[in-house]
């Protein structure tokens, strides 16, 4: 059975205030063409269909057109909700849509209810595990703790129990939206840390033939059977080196895996340039970036006049401007923004405690209180998004 694994469409997202709907539409054109050209048997979409819980109307219309086109190809599609999606909104009408071969799996209670497809070698059971917010699904799944590893393990126990009751030789595919240990994150994924831990071990998914992951935006192989497709478009400059692809997976009669990466269309390359303003304007080697989206980091010791306009004269698609004056150790301290760069909310809070105490950071008990507070805020935000 030939599968096309994709994820993290983030329909409605922009790139540094530049709208991406046209690029997302071009990607979906490419997706449908790929389904046709490679004679795909099933499409897998591993979450984050939309960029936010209440997407703009144009993004919803784009999604609607994509569903109609996939249904017209008569190729089944299995799709789960991610941490950016509103699971309840995305799942509206799932029962009716399923009649057209579009299988939306957004309810955690249905983790062990597979979509069953058949080929010449027998049945394949597709289990859709939507993003599982630990605090919200712990009791439902019977998990031992409200942590990512425990709720995914509980969901996978249900999957394996269902699979064990099926005829011998039934192959299995799991779709999941999670941060699996060994994966490489980028700047554009929303943090899903709970209790100071974001990642779950790949061993949680033991016992199935293929795991189609979503959440991380770089395509990567965690194990031969556990893979991220990554996002089809770059959503931050940290993805400048990514090769945006989908996985074409051939699932053999005994569960063998053959995988191939298929490139996605690139609307515009990304470039991260660094130097003084004059260096960036004068360097002939940078000519190849004149049609790229540009993030320019200026190292001038004194901020130059009108830098954005001057940069745009050469690089008209400059969308991000960063000032990072080169200083000696004896020069003034880093700016507040520079000190915070790369640090998450919990680390910033711990740094604040150390600052007000004159250098002594929080102890283990206090760190646990801070983690719990941030977890509670995130869960409250998720509940409010669902209720809106």
């Amino acid at each position: 059975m030939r599968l096309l694994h994709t994820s993290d469409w983030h329909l409605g997202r922009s790139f540094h205030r530049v709208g991406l709907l046209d690029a997302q539409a071009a990607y979906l054109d490419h997706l449908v063409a790929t389904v046709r050209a490679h004679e795909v048997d099933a499409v897998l979409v591993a979450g984050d269909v939309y960029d936010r819980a209440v997407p703009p109307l144009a993004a919803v219309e784009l999604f609607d057109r994509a569903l109609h086109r996939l249904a017209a190809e008569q190729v089944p599609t299995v799709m789960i909700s991610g941490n950016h999606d509103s699971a309840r909104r995305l799942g509206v009408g799932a029962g009716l849509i399923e009649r057209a071969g579009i299988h939306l799996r957004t309810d955690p209670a249905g983790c062990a209810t597979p979509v069953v497809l058949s080929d010449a070698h027998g049945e394949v059971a597709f289990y859709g595990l939507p993003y599982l917010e630990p605090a919200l699904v712990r009791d439902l799944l019977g998990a031992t703790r409200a942590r990512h590893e425990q709720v995914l393990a509980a969901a996978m126990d249900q999957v394996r129990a269902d699979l064990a009751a099926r005829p011998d030789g039934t192959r299995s595919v799991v779709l999941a939206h999670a941060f699996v240990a060994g994966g490489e994150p980028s700047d554009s994924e929303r943090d899903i840390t709970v209790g100071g831990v974001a990642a779950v071990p790949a061993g949680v998914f033991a016992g199935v033939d293929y795991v189609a992951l979503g959440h991380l935006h770089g395509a990567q192989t965690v194990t031969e059977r556990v893979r991220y497709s990554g996002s089809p478009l770059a959503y931050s400059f940290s993805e400048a080196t990514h090769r945006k692809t989908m996985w074409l997976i051939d699932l053999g009669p005994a569960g063998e895996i053959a995988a191939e990466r298929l490139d996605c269309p690139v609307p515009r390359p990304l470039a991260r340039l660094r130097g003084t303003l004059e260096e960036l304007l004068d360097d002939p080697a940078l000519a190849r970036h004149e049609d790229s989206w540009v993030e320019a980091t200026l190292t001038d010791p004194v901020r130059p006049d009108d830098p954005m306009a001057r940069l745009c004269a050469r690089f008209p698609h400059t969308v991000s401007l960063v000032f990072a004056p080169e200083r000696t150790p004896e020069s003034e301290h880093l700016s507040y923004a520079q000190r915070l760069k790369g640090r998450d909310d919990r680390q910033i809070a711990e740094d604040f405690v150390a600052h007000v105490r004159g250098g002594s950071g929080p102890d283990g008990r206090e760190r646990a209180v801070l983690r719990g507070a941030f977890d509670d805020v995130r869960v409250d935000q998720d509940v409010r998004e669902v209720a809106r």
Side-chain angles (χ1 to χ4, degrees), residues 44 232 262 278 297:
L44 313 179
L262 303 180
E278 295 305 323
T297 299

Side-chain angles (χ1 to χ4, degrees), residues 1 116-125 127 162-173 207-209 251-256:
M1 184 172 287
V116 180
L117 305 177
S118 300
D119 65 6
H121 305 289
E123 293 185 340
V124 181
Y127 297 91
D162 180 85
L163 187 59
R166 295 186 177 275
D168 291 344
T170 299
R171 290 159 290 166
S172 55
V173 174
V208 297
D209 294 310
L251 182 63
E256 310 95 321

Side-chain angles (χ1 to χ4, degrees), residues 109 114 152 160-161 218 220-221 223 236 259 281 301 327 372-373 378 380-381:
L152 270 172
R160 283 185 284 264
Q220 48 203 296
T221 301
T223 72
S236 73
L281 294 179
R327 297 183 172 96
R378 195 194 63 260
D380 182 66
Q381 289 173 337

Side-chain angles (χ1 to χ4, degrees), residues 49 73 80 102 112 131 148 162 164 168 171 173 198 240 267 279 285 289 307 327 330 363 370 378:
V49 173
E73 294 296 323
I80 62 172
I102 307 294
Y131 172 67
H148 287 295
D162 180 85
D168 291 344
R171 290 159 290 166
V173 174
E279 288 170 345
H289 299 306
R327 297 183 172 96
E330 294 76 24
D363 60 25
L370 287 171
R378 195 194 63 260

Side-chain angles (χ1 to χ4, degrees), residues 323-329 331-341:
F323 294 98
E326 292 183 347
R327 297 183 172 96
T328 65
S331 64
E332 63 182 284
H333 296 297
L334 294 175
S335 71
Y336 181 70
Q338 289 170 317
R339 293 199 304 272
L340 296 186
K341 186 175 183 180

Side-chain angles (χ1 to χ4, degrees), residues 19 190 193 197 237-238 248 307:
R190 183 182 294 170
T193 300
V197 179
F237 277 101
S238 66
L248 187 67

Side-chain angles (χ1 to χ4, degrees), residues 184-385:
E184 182 66 30
S186 63
D187 292 344
S188 52
E189 297 110 10
R190 183 182 294 170
D191 180 39
I192 59 170
T193 300
V194 173
V197 179
V200 300
V204 164
F205 299 104
V208 297
D209 294 310
Y210 184 69
V211 181
L213 292 175
H215 181 57
L216 300 185
H217 288 184
Q220 48 203 296
T221 301
V222 179
T223 72
E224 186 64 21
R225 297 185 180 276
V226 180
R227 298 171 186 262
Y228 283 99
S229 68
S231 61
L233 299 171
Y235 292 118
S236 73
F237 277 101
S238 66
E239 301 170 53
T241 60
H242 287 188
R243 175 188 165 200
K244 295 301 184 182
T245 58
M246 300 177 286
W247 284 111
L248 187 67
I249 302 294
D250 284 319
L251 182 63
E256 310 95 321
I257 295 291
E260 178 185 358
R261 287 178 71 181
L262 303 180
D263 289 295
C264 298
V266 178
R268 194 178 299 282
L270 273 58
R272 306 183 94 168
L273 308 182
R274 184 183 183 91
T276 67
L277 179 58
E278 295 305 323
E279 288 170 345
L280 299 188
L281 294 179
D282 296 339
D283 187 350
L286 300 181
R288 67 185 187 278
H289 299 306
E290 290 175 358
D291 195 43
S292 301
W293 276 319
V294 168
E295 177 189 70
T297 299
L298 299 185
T299 60
D300 302 74
V302 177
R303 185 172 301 202
D305 293 334
D306 210 8
M308 180 61 91
R310 293 165 68 186
L311 280 167
C312 286
R314 184 180 188 190
F315 306 104
H317 304 289
T318 301
V319 294
S320 177
L321 183 58
V322 180
F323 294 98
E326 292 183 347
R327 297 183 172 96
T328 65
E330 294 76 24
S331 64
E332 63 182 284
H333 296 297
L334 294 175
S335 71
Y336 181 70
Q338 289 170 317
R339 293 199 304 272
L340 296 186
K341 186 175 183 180
R343 305 186 68 74
D344 61 30
D345 290 343
R346 180 180 54 81
Q347 291 170 322
I348 293 169
E350 291 180 5
D351 289 347
F352 175 75
V353 172
H355 172 72
V356 297
R357 284 180 174 169
S360 175
D363 60 25
R365 181 185 62 81
E366 292 167 332
R367 284 193 177 92
V369 171
L370 287 171
R371 284 198 303 268
F374 283 113
D375 291 347
D376 289 345
V377 168
R378 195 194 63 260
V379 171
D380 182 66
Q381 289 173 337
D382 289 343
V383 171
R384 288 174 184 271
E385 282 192 346

